[in-house]
Amino acid sequence: MHSTYSYPTFDAPRAPELDAAPGTARRPVVVVGAGPVGLSVAIDLAQRGQPVLLLDDDDTVSVGSRGLCYAKRTLEILDRLGCGQPVVDKGVTWNVGRTFLDTEEVFNFDLLPEAGHERPGMVNLQQYYLEAYLVARARELPALEMRFRHKVTQVEPHGTGATLQVETAHGAFTLTCDWLVVCDGARSPVRSMLGLDIEGRIFRDRFLIADVVMKADFPAERWFWFDPLFHRGQSVLLHREADHVWRIDFQLGWEADPDEERRPERVIPRIRAMLGDERPFELEWVSVYTFQCRRMTNFRHGRVLFAGDAAHQVSPFGARGANSGIQDADNLGWKLGAVLSGRAPETLLDSYHAERAFAADENLLNSTRSTDFITPKSAMSKRFRNAVLGLAREHAFARALVNSGRLSVPATLHTSALVTPDRAGESFEGWMLPGAPMDDAPVAVDGQPTWLLRQVAAGEFTLLVFGDTPVTLPDDLPVPVGLRRVQRPGSAAAANDLVDTEGHLTRRYDGRPGTVYLLRPDQHVAARWRAFDADALRAALRRSLALQ
């Protein structure tokens, strides 16, 4: 098969623990798994100055496109981790998706229907590029040490952390850590070692993924077909990737033999039927998968924390896997950092499970609905699906029911115990309610254009104040809080004030003069008020840190 990518080989030198006295090897935090989720957790902690050791049993990046679609929220998180721009520069930006019944378009959507956001709705980029960018960023951080060809073979949790047995090419050693973050994928060897559960549905269907190298002038959009002429009775999905690579997913049915369907002699005729005999192409990567929708009962087990596919798995329709995993990392990083720095109790990490299990359940529900629509398993479900597709040709109400994969959106954590509800009698327009992920907006600082999210990306809590209302932060706040003011164009803006150049910020946050927002380090709204109140701020911070 043709390859457009040269896979790196990471060094795996002799571990110093092999030469240390027994029982002396201890680390504050160990992360297992150097995929996108493990790298994101490790980078986040290291950027906060927390020492972290990252272990992986391989010495290169993942093979094949795998996690391909990175949503706007994930791109904003990657910006905070220091590698969002390379992903956008290398990847394929898209916002529009189209769904067809045979050759007729029956539904379309735009992920970014309004202006005033720095990042697009989605960027397609093969997972190996993302991992390489994350590794490069990790190497810039002195608090982060990466170890490749380090395989964790045994885990023994205890009250003050966990003890690991680690195998390397140079020998095995014992390592103790205060906290263990498990990001070792859907099959999670660590989860299996601990005998922990993961429950849900496994769907009785198979799909073929083919990464195809070809030159085509198709637009950078997501195309999904039901019952196309070239693959009757099944569905097909097409995505554009970097380097003239195209991702094609063919539904195969449950009876398909995975080993047989991976053979080029089987794959190439399917692609020729789709593209026509005259278009040249080469295969780069082929895989057959069965998808599942399930999660662990609890993502926290004492001082062992699970994230990404190790904690929850969804079908690939909707690009919810890697996106939700990186959002796990974003949620966990600031909380574990607060615990390690002594600013919050260990009970704050109970909220990691509560908030991310809530998000996982939302993803599982949407992913299950998409999968049921795409691959109906009962006569009634199939009749419903076919009726919706037939009506969608002419009726708008039916187009809204077409479900070829609702795309990943971040969870609004409105039920979280960390969130301070709006005060009685204080009303707000819009969707920036407590628990919501922040919307971006164009602003200017000291006359230079920039973006709101880049101005609250320091990894700490931020107080956003609209207008010139006097605000004095108390000296006894439990954590440092940054203060940023928002001014309308033409106002007397002081140094470092955010000027709402196009009005998007004021509109999206309903920012009347005097309005105040408390923003979490992961850029979710923690609380908001129509006027500054030092006692309310103090209480909201304590609530956000599980101090009350």
Side-chain angles (χ1 to χ4, degrees), residues 126-166:
Q126 297 91 311
Q127 184 171 316
Y128 43 75
Y129 277 116
L130 173 61
E131 291 183 15
Y133 297 147
L134 288 166
V135 168
R137 172 60 180 150
R139 285 176 167 161
E140 297 174 347
L141 301 169
L144 173 51
E145 183 179 359
M146 291 182 290
R147 302 273 191 84
F148 296 98
R149 290 291 183 190
H150 278 54
K151 182 178 181 180
V152 176
T153 58
Q154 185 177 331
V155 177
E156 182 184 344
H158 44 75
T160 58
T163 299
L164 316 179
Q165 298 297 321
V166 183

Side-chain angles (χ1 to χ4, degrees), residues 97-329:
R98 302 185 188 279
T99 298
F100 304 89
L101 178 58
D102 196 356
T103 59
E104 185 174 352
E105 182 176 325
V106 295
F107 175 73
N108 64 68
F109 59 80
D110 187 339
L111 295 172
L112 206 63
E114 61 174 11
H117 296 267
E118 181 181 10
R119 293 310 185 198
M122 200 75 71
V123 166
N124 287 354
L125 185 65
Q126 297 91 311
Q127 184 171 316
Y128 43 75
Y129 277 116
L130 173 61
E131 291 183 15
Y133 297 147
L134 288 166
V135 168
R137 172 60 180 150
R139 285 176 167 161
E140 297 174 347
L141 301 169
L144 173 51
E145 183 179 359
M146 291 182 290
R147 302 273 191 84
F148 296 98
R149 290 291 183 190
H150 278 54
K151 182 178 181 180
V152 176
T153 58
Q154 185 177 331
V155 177
E156 182 184 344
H158 44 75
T160 58
T163 299
L164 316 179
Q165 298 297 321
V166 183
E167 285 186 359
T168 76
H170 305 283
F173 63 87
T174 301
L175 174 67
T176 300
C177 60
D178 300 329
W179 293 91
L180 178 65
V181 183
V182 182
C183 310
D184 57 351
R187 294 183 176 88
S188 185
V190 173
R191 190 183 65 228
S192 298
M193 291 172 204
L194 299 180
L196 296 174
D197 64 310
I198 185 161
E199 299 175 350
R201 288 180 62 185
I202 297 177
F203 288 84
R204 292 174 60 85
D205 212 324
R206 302 189 199 279
F207 277 75
L208 169 74
I209 299 176
D211 280 354
V212 176
V213 184
M214 65 177 179
K215 292 188 177 180
D217 56 0
F218 307 140
E221 299 177 346
R222 177 189 192 263
W223 287 356
F224 192 102
W225 289 268
F226 288 101
D227 193 26
L229 179 63
F230 55 83
H231 196 56
R232 279 297 185 207
Q234 306 281 31
S235 61
V236 179
L237 176 63
L238 177 69
H239 272 290
R240 180 178 163 190
E241 308 175 31
D243 302 330
H244 300 291
V245 180
W246 295 79
R247 164 88 160 260
I248 308 173
D249 292 49
F250 292 94
Q251 184 183 4
L252 298 176
W254 182 244
E255 302 304 322
D257 182 331
D259 292 330
E260 182 70 15
E261 294 296 343
R262 287 190 195 95
R263 294 170 55 225
E265 306 91 278
R266 297 282 293 175
V267 177
I268 289 172
R270 293 189 188 281
I271 297 172
R272 289 211 184 283
M274 177 182 181
L275 301 176
D277 292 335
E278 71 283 356
R279 185 179 297 279
F281 67 87
E282 295 180 89
L283 292 180
E284 180 168 82
W285 176 67
V286 174
S287 182
V288 174
Y289 63 88
T290 299
F291 43 81
Q292 46 206 353
C293 292
R294 55 184 189 161
R295 74 164 173 89
M296 296 178 68
T297 302
N298 202 311
F299 299 172
R300 181 189 177 196
H301 292 264
R303 291 193 165 198
V304 181
L305 303 147
F306 290 81
D309 285 352
H312 49 80
Q313 296 138 38
V314 294
S315 75
F317 303 113
R320 297 172 182 274
N323 286 292
S324 62
I326 292 172
Q327 289 163 32
D328 288 349

Side-chain angles (χ1 to χ4, degrees), residues 51-90:
V52 57
L53 175 64
L54 177 62
L55 305 178
D56 194 87
D57 61 1
D58 203 354
D59 62 359
T60 189
V61 293
S62 63
V63 176
S65 57
R66 299 188 183 274
L68 171 67
C69 305
Y70 302 102
K72 177 177 178 291
R73 171 68 175 168
T74 299
L75 297 171
E76 292 161 353
I77 295 169
L78 293 173
D79 281 335
R80 300 203 296 281
L81 297 179
C83 55
Q85 195 60 47
V87 172
V88 175
D89 289 344
K90 181 64 179 178

Side-chain angles (χ1 to χ4, degrees), residues 444 466-468 485-495 497-501 506 513:
F466 287 81
D468 292 320
R485 286 190 180 276
V486 180
Q487 304 286 6
R488 297 174 186 264
S491 302
D497 280 359
L498 309 179
V499 177
D500 184 12
T501 51
T506 300

Side-chain angles (χ1 to χ4, degrees), residues 390-449:
L391 290 167
R393 290 168 166 163
E394 297 182 9
H395 300 284
F397 82 90
R399 293 182 198 119
L401 299 174
V402 174
N403 192 343
S404 58
R406 304 292 191 219
L407 271 292
S408 172
V409 293
T412 295
L413 306 173
H414 59 279
T415 62
S416 172
L418 303 189
V419 168
T420 299
D422 287 336
R423 283 174 166 169
E426 289 192 344
S427 62
F428 290 80
E429 297 293 329
W431 51 88
M432 286 292 98
L433 67 157
M438 290 178 64
D439 255 2
D440 205 0
V443 295
V445 177
D446 299 331
Q448 298 301 311

